[in-house]
Amino acid sequence: MYYYRYSQPTEVSCCYKYMMFSYNIVFWLAGAAFLAIGLWAWSEKGVLSDISQVTRLHGFDPVWIVLIVGTVTFILGFAGCVGALRENICLLKFFCGVIGLIFFLELTTGVMAFVFQDQLREWVKDFFLTNIKGYREDIDLQNLIDSLQRANQCCGADGPQNWDLNVYFNCSNNNPSREKCGVPFSCCLYDPAEIVVNTQCGYDVRSKPEKQWESVIYTKGCIAALEAWYLETSILWLESS
């Protein structure tokens, strides 16, 4: 007489299961929040009522970043939450696979950026110059450039002269703008004693001799500033590891 033993399915620890659920529900809600913010931003621009405006936007629209990050985070959070709570192997494998893919893409991007430094520098420069032209056309793009220049204490791609590409800031004789021959306020030197931001600090600054620019605005280009930041961050990362 033969007896057959049926193996019982192994159960996941409740502690581990609910810890993973709690961890992923934060990402799920964060993804939903990002998606809501992105859709709200497009609604304010009128893109949702006329979706064809997406192709007519000048320069890069930062809302794309918010929507893409929100979508990926929402899907990952959903897969992690439901996979952990229901012990769904397919969803958990999908979750782990996407996390691994993101890590691989980040690693590949870092290696490619190191190998093709010159090409990447030219691409970033062209990208920055293109968006300088559309600076006043999109408030989100404007805020992105202002934040980048303020954070890195830089101005333009190669320097303040790049703002001549913008129709509002160029120094041509037929430019009626009050911002003619100026730069955005984010190019101005930071004054810690300043309570209210002076948005007119960059007016007419480029109509003066270049030697006087350094006392009013940052003269270093953002490409050089980003390269310095990248090298500094890489060194700190290598030292910490």
Side-chain angles (χ1 to χ4, degrees):
M1 190 171 186
Y2 297 94
Y3 296 92
Y4 294 93
R5 174 182 290 181
Y6 294 94
S7 58
Q8 296 295 326
T10 56
E11 294 184 358
V12 179
S13 169
C14 288
C15 180
Y16 175 77
K17 180 169 69 174
Y18 287 109
M19 182 178 67
M20 188 173 179
F21 172 79
S22 303
Y23 173 77
N24 280 284
I25 199 171
V26 174
F27 282 90
W28 193 8
L29 295 175
F34 270 94
L35 283 173
I37 292 170
L39 292 174
W40 171 79
W42 267 4
S43 175
E44 289 294 304
K45 294 179 182 179
V47 174
L48 293 183
S49 57
D50 182 12
I51 200 67
S52 64
Q53 288 190 33
V54 173
T55 59
R56 300 199 299 267
L57 292 173
H58 298 276
F60 175 71
D61 188 359
V63 176
W64 278 112
I65 297 177
V66 178
L67 289 174
I68 292 172
V69 171
T71 302
V72 173
T73 307
F74 182 84
I75 294 173
L76 273 180
F78 173 81
C81 281
V82 178
L85 194 63
R86 303 296 298 176
E87 299 182 19
N88 189 304
I89 301 300
C90 290
L91 286 176
L92 291 177
K93 284 183 177 179
F94 171 78
F95 175 81
C96 295
V98 174
I99 292 293
L101 178 63
I102 292 173
F103 176 77
F104 175 75
L105 290 176
E106 288 179 350
L107 186 62
T108 304
T109 302
V111 172
M112 296 292 285
F114 179 78
V115 174
F116 300 102
Q117 292 183 40
D118 295 334
Q119 294 90 328
L120 179 63
R121 187 184 297 109
E122 286 301 315
W123 182 84
V124 173
K125 178 182 175 181
D126 293 341
F127 180 78
F128 202 104
L129 293 176
T130 300
N131 288 288
I132 281 178
K133 297 176 184 178
Y135 175 77
R136 288 294 189 206
E137 309 301 328
D138 185 351
I139 187 63
D140 294 320
L141 176 62
Q142 181 177 314
N143 291 334
L144 179 65
I145 293 176
D146 285 335
S147 300
L148 178 66
Q149 293 189 145
R150 278 255 168 173
N152 294 279
Q153 298 182 349
C154 58
C155 187
D158 297 319
Q161 68 276 7
N162 291 144
W163 284 98
D164 224 31
L165 296 172
N166 188 280
V167 293
Y168 297 96
F169 294 101
N170 71 62
C171 295
S172 59
N173 294 327
N174 58 351
N175 183 10
S177 172
R178 178 61 189 88
E179 296 175 310
K180 174 182 176 180
C181 253
V183 291
F185 75 94
S186 55
C187 286
C188 297
L189 298 177
Y190 175 68
D191 183 5
E194 192 176 67
I195 300 176
V196 180
V197 177
N198 179 13
T199 57
Q200 300 180 1
C201 59
Y203 283 14
D204 304 316
V205 67
R206 289 189 299 114
S207 61
K208 303 173 184 177
E210 288 191 24
K211 293 182 179 179
Q212 299 181 19
W213 292 3
E214 294 184 354
S215 61
V216 183
I217 61 174
Y218 301 114
T219 55
K220 180 173 63 174
C222 289
I223 303 299
L226 288 172
E227 286 180 343
W229 171 83
Y230 175 75
L231 289 173
E232 183 181 350
T233 305
S234 300
I235 292 171
L236 289 174
W237 182 78
L238 290 172
E239 288 178 350
S240 61
S241 59

